[in-house]
Amino acid sequence: MVLPVQDLAAPPHCRYFEAGVCRSCTFIETPIDAQLRVKQERCAALLPSVPAAAWLAPVAGGVAGFRNRAKLAVGGAAGAVTLGILDRGGAGVDLTECLIHEPEIQAVIPLLADFVNASGIAPYSVPRRRGELKYVHVTVSPAGELMVRFVVRSEHGLGMIRARVDTLRELLPQAAVISVNLLPEHKAVLEGEREEPLTGSALAMELGEGLSPVTLYLRPQSFFQTNTRVALALYEQAATWVDGVGPASLWDLYCGVGGFALFTARSAAGAQRDVLGVELSEQAIRSAERSAAEAGIPARFLSGDATEFALAAAPADLPELVIVNPPRRGIGETLSEWLEGSQIPHVIYSSCNPESLARDLERMPSYSVRQARLFDMFPHTGHLEVAVLLERR
């Protein structure tokens, strides 16, 4: 079951925004219906080839308590840390009571601050390039379990967290995964390449209700949408489109942990279709294979570059439908032009960047948009998710 988010008619009052210390939620003082209207108008302007009648009603993302992941920059000093963001000068700004996080995350942020303070670990100072602890990441599942990750500069920081992991387990019994990520470089990224697991290996995200929910498994460095309720709506919309088209086979390119592939592998009538997911991350592929095995879904998954995989495929092996869910840069010229010349009847394109989506669609004139929908994955910001069902003319 997906946890509800707080839906309010009036904009919430955020004391951090009102004080001017955090402006991440740029439009938090704008009513949510007005935010949705502006986003819908933006999508329509960027995608003029989409007929007005093709747009389905947008999916709202909530007003408060909707974000399933907190990315907390650590500031302050050893024994007196801040968890939140860094200001322009690199000083810590405490956002312990940030209202966009799901309630389970809001509840544990003060506990994590107490744990970090008691450990004596020094926050990493960006201006001085000293210290150890850079970030604390917290992700919550629909069942209320947590994945907690500490991003540190060196082995010393790793040792300090590892030595106190039993204390952390007692403090957060709902933590299914605890890990430490090492980021020795001084650069503006949220994590490094090396991850050291301390407890558990994957967070179970059970999505959907009824007789056939799908459980996705998030490893510490896996990608997942930040709004669980909207992510489920996105997967269900894709499944509805796939059922309406009725392909016997499909590819899910940039499949991540397998969300689209697993939700579309079964038809509404229960029949199985041939599904193949392709993703560069081997960890994500292992998670997708685990989900498929547990659900009894005969979907196949392959680790590799989506574009290279498509270009190497024989014409006889092409599916009847392709789902693409690329990063912000889009699928790019090569894959767009390959799809244009592929004769594949249908494509579902899920995009977090309508600008790159528009560029890619211009390279695919043989496809028309049959339906489109806005998903407000990121309320109070200018970011959005938009999905389109394409049909070859």
Side-chain angles (χ1 to χ4, degrees):
M1 179 180 295
V2 175
L3 295 171
V5 296
Q6 185 179 357
D7 292 310
L8 304 174
H13 293 287
C14 174
R15 66 184 181 89
Y16 303 116
F17 188 90
E18 292 168 355
V21 298
C22 177
R23 295 285 173 157
S24 299
C25 296
T26 309
F27 306 111
I28 197 169
E29 294 185 335
T30 303
I32 202 69
D33 58 344
Q35 293 184 39
L36 283 171
R37 184 169 61 251
V38 169
K39 290 182 178 183
Q40 186 69 60
E41 291 170 352
R42 178 185 168 211
C43 284
L46 287 169
L47 304 170
S49 63
V50 181
W55 285 103
L56 301 175
V59 175
V63 175
F66 54 79
R67 190 176 176 90
N68 61 27
R69 181 181 176 187
K71 304 174 184 178
L72 305 168
V74 184
V81 302
T82 62
L83 296 181
I85 60 174
L86 303 180
D87 66 17
R88 291 184 178 179
V93 177
D94 193 76
L95 301 179
T96 302
E97 299 175 7
C98 176
L99 56 80
I100 68 172
H101 298 129
E102 289 197 23
E104 289 79 1
I105 293 179
Q106 295 180 31
V108 302
I109 292 176
L111 301 179
L112 286 166
D114 290 343
F115 170 79
V116 172
N117 285 330
S119 74
I121 190 170
Y124 182 76
S125 170
V126 173
R128 295 185 298 162
R129 301 193 178 194
R130 293 181 179 178
E132 276 296 331
L133 185 58
K134 297 184 175 183
Y135 296 97
V136 178
H137 299 310
V138 187
T139 304
V140 64
S141 75
E145 292 187 326
L146 300 175
M147 176 160 58
V148 181
R149 303 172 63 213
F150 299 90
V151 181
V152 301
R153 183 180 62 87
S154 71
E155 294 281 350
H156 177 65
L158 167 61
M160 293 185 72
I161 301 297
R162 178 178 279 148
R164 294 161 177 81
V165 70
D166 289 340
T167 300
L168 187 58
R169 288 194 192 103
E170 293 177 4
L171 187 66
L172 300 178
Q174 69 273 48
V177 179
I178 301 171
S179 66
V180 177
N181 179 276
L182 278 85
L183 177 59
E185 300 88 356
H186 178 81
K187 57 183 180 180
V189 295
L190 293 172
E191 61 182 36
E193 296 182 0
R194 179 182 166 194
E195 193 86 20
E196 290 291 331
L198 302 183
T199 294
S201 60
L203 183 67
M205 306 286 287
E206 187 174 279
L207 303 179
E209 299 179 352
L211 298 177
S212 56
V214 173
T215 299
L216 304 180
Y217 289 96
L218 303 188
R219 294 175 182 267
Q221 293 179 293
S222 296
F223 167 79
F224 187 72
Q225 302 284 7
T226 60
N227 191 317
T228 305
R229 188 177 74 167
V230 178
L232 176 58
L234 177 61
Y235 294 147
E236 289 179 337
Q237 181 64 70
T240 298
W241 282 340
V242 170
D243 278 344
V245 172
S249 58
L250 69 84
W251 289 350
D252 177 9
L253 304 183
Y254 308 94
C255 72
V257 294
F260 283 109
L262 295 166
F263 271 87
T264 58
R266 292 193 186 110
S267 71
Q272 303 281 4
R273 52 178 57 96
D274 182 36
V275 172
L276 174 64
V278 181
E279 165 61 41
L280 196 59
S281 168
E282 294 183 1
Q283 280 196 0
I285 289 298
R286 289 198 296 270
S287 295
E289 290 174 337
R290 177 182 176 184
S291 296
E294 291 184 359
I297 297 174
R300 296 172 292 128
F301 295 93
L302 174 69
S303 175
D305 179 83
T307 299
E308 292 178 1
F309 169 79
L311 294 177
D317 296 331
L318 299 188
E320 296 178 5
L321 184 146
V322 169
I323 299 173
V324 292
N325 181 31
R328 287 189 59 80
R329 65 178 181 272
I331 61 176
E333 181 178 357
T334 302
L335 187 53
S336 297
E337 293 181 352
W338 179 86
L339 283 168
E340 171 65 15
S342 69
Q343 302 303 313
I344 292 171
H346 293 92
V347 175
I348 293 174
Y349 193 137
S350 179
S351 170
C352 62
N353 183 359
E355 282 87 357
S356 61
L357 171 61
R359 289 194 298 269
D360 289 338
L361 292 184
E362 286 180 358
R363 303 184 185 107
M364 301 161 60
S366 295
Y367 289 95
S368 60
V369 178
R370 184 167 162 181
Q371 285 192 324
R373 196 168 199 183
L374 164 68
F375 296 83
D376 194 17
M377 199 76 69
F378 317 98
H380 311 317
T381 76
H383 301 294
L384 57 90
E385 190 89 14
V386 60
V388 294
L389 170 62
L390 306 177
E391 186 171 62
R392 187 169 286 274
R393 299 181 192 276

